[in-house]
Amino acid sequence: MQTMRAALAAFNRRDGEGFGRLLAEDAEIIPIRAAVEKTTYRGRDAARLYCEAVDETWEDLRWEVEEVRDGGDWVLALGQITGRGRGSGVDIDAHGGWLATFEDGEIARFQTFPARRDALEAAGLTE
């Protein structure tokens, strides 16, 4: 759970290097927009590239964790996603989730979900 909290804190600071140190060498980061744009970031550099892409698109996008569930080889964080689109000025204020799967103590896969229900389902859980 500490690694997940550290990853989310690094993201909120846009510390791609710090986030990257928590990733496995062949890690995947799958952002919300992956479903539309087919965007997935891979490797240790994934966190830096992800943070840069978020900064290009959003103003002050933040993840506020409200609940964390530990499944052994995965950790699910549920909470609030807030921010404003850079070009559009559109606000986001949603309850979403972040699911990380682990291998040897490192994050192997990190996926963001725009809805709490989707995140729970991906972890094989219900409310």
Side-chain angles (χ1 to χ4, degrees):
M1 277 203 275
Q2 287 303 100
T3 301
M4 178 63 136
R5 288 187 186 278
L8 292 168
F11 171 83
N12 280 338
R13 293 189 311 273
R14 296 305 180 274
D15 178 6
E17 298 302 320
F19 190 174
R21 285 191 291 276
L22 304 170
L23 300 179
E25 193 169 318
D26 59 348
E28 287 185 320
I29 295 178
I30 305 164
I32 290 173
R33 69 181 186 275
V36 175
E37 298 176 4
K38 307 291 186 226
T39 302
T40 299
Y41 302 95
R42 291 184 172 81
R44 287 212 186 259
D45 217 24
R48 181 184 60 78
L49 295 171
Y50 178 45
C51 286
E52 288 173 1
V54 166
D55 261 351
E56 288 175 13
T57 309
W58 296 96
E59 293 177 30
D60 197 33
L61 185 73
R62 296 195 47 80
W63 299 343
E64 298 299 329
V65 177
E66 298 167 350
E67 179 184 352
V68 179
R69 298 186 190 188
D70 189 339
D73 62 346
W74 56 263
V75 174
L76 176 66
L78 300 166
Q80 193 83 9
I81 304 169
T82 59
R84 174 172 297 193
R86 277 209 188 274
S88 67
V90 173
D91 289 326
I92 183 173
D93 187 355
H95 289 280
W98 311 276
L99 179 62
T101 56
F102 290 84
E103 292 176 5
D104 299 322
E106 296 178 312
I107 297 172
R109 188 169 197 253
F110 186 92
Q111 186 167 2
T112 305
F113 295 88
R116 177 183 171 97
R117 174 184 33 80
D118 295 338
L120 286 163
E121 186 177 293
L125 304 172
T126 60
E127 288 289 336

